[in-house]
Amino acid sequence: MLPPNFIDDVYRIVRSIPHGKVTSYGAIAKSLGVARSSRMVGWALNKSLHTVPAHRVVNRNGLLTGKAAFGNQNEMKNLLEQEGIEVQGDQIVNFQKYFWDPDSLGDV
DNA sequence: TGAGTGACTGTAA
DNA sequence: CTTACAGCCACTC
């Protein structure tokens, strides 16, 4: 079972994503020790949609899979572009270049 | 109570 | 290269 503070942990990590960077559900899940529950990360974000910069979280392909949750499906793309991230259609260009590993929190 | 669904991922064919 | 399947956990009907 997920820790009761799971959402809070996701909240903290997502908020820690540097400006102009993005990460994936799996990376967050892994960082929390629930690598196999990546879906739960998306679920947690949905619960905290308006309390975290969820637009910085995409799937492992850099695809804006959660854009629908923003109400306006262009909102997520817009937010990313505002941070200097190039988005083509629903996918981040050079995703690997913008990718940020949550585990690098303590590395800095 | 049981079955279906989802902001995912990894592996196999 | 794309498509399919299984595992995962919580929520909703």
Side-chain angles (χ1 to χ4, degrees):
Chain A
M1 176 154 174
L2 295 176
N5 57 324
F6 177 74
I7 295 180
D8 185 57
D9 288 335
V10 175
Y11 176 92
R12 194 174 349 185
I13 289 181
V14 176
R15 248 194 18 220
S16 301
I17 301 176
H19 182 90
K21 293 268 188 168
V22 296
T23 191
S24 71
Y25 304 95
I28 295 173
K30 184 178 180 183
S31 183
L32 294 179
V34 290
R36 294 176 174 174
S37 302
S38 49
R39 310 179 74 151
M40 299 299 93
V41 176
W43 166 78
L45 287 178
N46 199 356
K47 296 297 170 187
S48 309
L49 219 197
H50 292 284
T51 50
V52 298
H55 61 276
R56 292 182 186 158
V57 185
V58 297
N59 75 347
R60 84 178 194 88
N61 293 311
L63 197 65
L64 281 53
T65 46
K67 67 182 194 302
F70 287 78
N72 183 336
Q73 303 193 345
N74 291 321
E75 187 64 15
M76 190 172 185
K77 180 172 182 280
N78 289 335
L79 287 168
L80 290 171
E81 291 182 331
Q82 282 177 36
E83 302 198 353
I85 298 175
E86 192 177 354
V87 181
Q88 188 173 64
D90 290 333
Q91 186 176 325
I92 296 176
V93 181
N94 298 325
F95 171 63
Q96 197 173 158
K97 180 170 114 183
Y98 298 112
F99 184 80
W100 174 80
D101 186 354
D103 285 326
S104 61
L105 268 175
D107 187 57
V108 184

